């Protein structure tokens, strides 16, 4: 049994959080994907939409029965960080789930945009020691170790670069070029393009609760 852990603020969750991750889970033969909505992000401002609301939207998005066509395993949304009043550090979350699933193989999933800044994370060396990473490539981002320079301008620590192919695995997934910031901008203008990027159940929830106005 192998388990994917995938964290984020999910403010709001969108297709870029869903299909590339499930595509990677299928490729690496994972049996479960655990989404971990963040309560207090260490690298971003505290979201103006509350943790419980973001947790609810994540649940709604992942209950879509059509996702079974993408990934046959179990999909779970964890309350671990939501119920923790402290800053949500990935190292702490990883240690928690390693204790919880001490007989299983765990992977920590992140997008390439996050990986380019991984050297700024708290105890990133400890994360590399504790768990293997699956890095899902994203449009408009490249590694500095590729032929082109990283478009974000971020540098890669030698220890991180040396781990690629050993404990860090890059994955070319289905391309979904959208961010939560762009989604919020579309929400503010009530754009018809939303249906292309976000599950309908989440759109309905946002409109019902008048979020991102």
């Amino acid at each position: 049994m192998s388990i994917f852990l995938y964290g984020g603020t999910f403010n709001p969750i969108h297709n870029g959080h869903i299909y590339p991750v499930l595509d990677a889970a299928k490729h690496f033969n994972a049996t479960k994907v655990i989404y971990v909505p963040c309560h207090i992000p260490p690298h971003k401002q505290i979201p103006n939409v509350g943790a419980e609301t973001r947790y609810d939207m994540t649940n709604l998005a992942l209950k879509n029965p059509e996702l079974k066509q993408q990934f046959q395993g179990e999909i779970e949304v964890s309350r671990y960080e939501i119920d923790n009043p402290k800053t949500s550090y990935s190292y702490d979350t990883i240690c928690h789930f390693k204790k919880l699933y001490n007989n299983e193989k765990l992977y920590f999933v992140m997008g390439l945009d996050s990986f380019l800044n991984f050297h700024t994370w708290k105890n990133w060396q400890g994360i590399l020691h504790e768990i293997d990473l699956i890095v899902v490539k994203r449009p408009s981002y490249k590694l500095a170790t590729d032929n082109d320079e990283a478009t974000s301008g971020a540098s890669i620590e030698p220890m991180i670069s040396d781990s690629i192919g050993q404990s860090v695995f890059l994955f070319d997934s289905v391309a979904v070029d959208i961010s939560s910031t762009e989604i919020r901008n579309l929400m503010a203008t009530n754009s018809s393009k939303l249906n292309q990027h976000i599950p309908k159940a989440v759109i309905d929830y946002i409109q019902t609760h008048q979020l991102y106005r």
Side-chain angles (χ1 to χ4, degrees):
M1 182 175 179
S2 60
I3 299 172
F4 271 29
L5 302 176
Y6 181 52
T9 51
F10 305 129
N11 185 34
I13 189 168
H14 55 73
N15 290 344
H17 296 132
I18 301 172
Y19 293 100
V21 174
L22 297 184
D23 189 27
K26 180 179 179 180
H27 177 83
F28 287 94
N29 298 314
T31 51
K32 178 187 282 192
V33 178
I34 302 176
Y35 279 71
V36 189
C38 175
H39 186 183
I40 302 176
H43 287 96
K44 300 178 181 179
Q45 291 184 339
I46 296 177
N48 57 350
V49 171
E52 287 289 348
T53 297
R54 291 182 285 106
Y55 172 83
D56 289 345
M57 288 191 290
T58 305
N59 259 317
L60 283 171
L62 297 172
K63 284 182 178 178
N64 183 353
E66 293 181 4
L67 294 181
K68 279 295 181 183
Q69 300 175 15
Q70 179 85 5
F71 176 63
Q72 298 296 316
E74 183 180 353
I75 303 173
E76 176 184 316
V77 182
S78 170
R79 291 192 59 89
Y80 173 71
E81 291 187 1
I82 294 293
D83 291 337
N84 190 334
K86 299 179 181 179
T87 301
S88 305
Y89 290 112
S90 296
Y91 177 78
D92 298 334
T93 298
I94 288 165
C95 290
H96 165 77
F97 281 102
K98 285 198 70 176
K99 290 179 181 178
L100 192 63
Y101 296 100
N102 62 338
N103 293 322
E104 317 299 345
K105 175 66 176 177
L106 269 67
Y107 296 91
F108 188 75
V109 186
M110 67 175 68
L112 182 54
D113 53 332
S114 295
F115 183 65
L116 290 172
N117 294 296
F118 182 59
H119 62 286
T120 68
W121 289 26
K122 179 184 177 182
N123 200 7
W124 61 265
Q125 299 94 332
I127 293 175
L128 286 178
H129 176 75
E130 291 291 341
I131 198 168
D132 288 350
L133 306 184
I134 305 293
V135 178
V136 179
K137 293 186 177 182
R138 287 194 60 187
S140 304
Y141 289 88
K142 290 181 181 291
L143 280 173
T145 50
D146 289 345
N147 292 330
D148 298 325
E149 293 183 356
T151 56
S152 71
S155 61
I156 302 296
E157 292 285 334
M159 179 181 170
I160 300 174
S161 181
D162 292 344
S163 298
I164 294 175
Q166 299 182 40
S167 59
V168 176
F169 304 96
L170 305 179
F171 179 67
D172 279 306
S173 180
V174 291
V176 180
D177 193 10
I178 192 69
S179 70
S180 291
T181 300
E182 292 169 304
I183 291 293
R184 293 193 295 271
N185 291 337
L186 291 174
M187 279 289 176
T189 59
N190 199 26
S191 172
S192 60
K193 294 180 180 179
L194 281 170
N195 290 324
Q196 304 171 26
H197 303 298
I198 191 168
K200 185 179 184 304
V202 177
I203 294 176
D204 292 343
Y205 182 96
I206 289 171
Q207 292 175 340
T208 297
H209 295 275
Q210 299 185 356
L211 304 176
Y212 308 113
R213 295 294 182 98

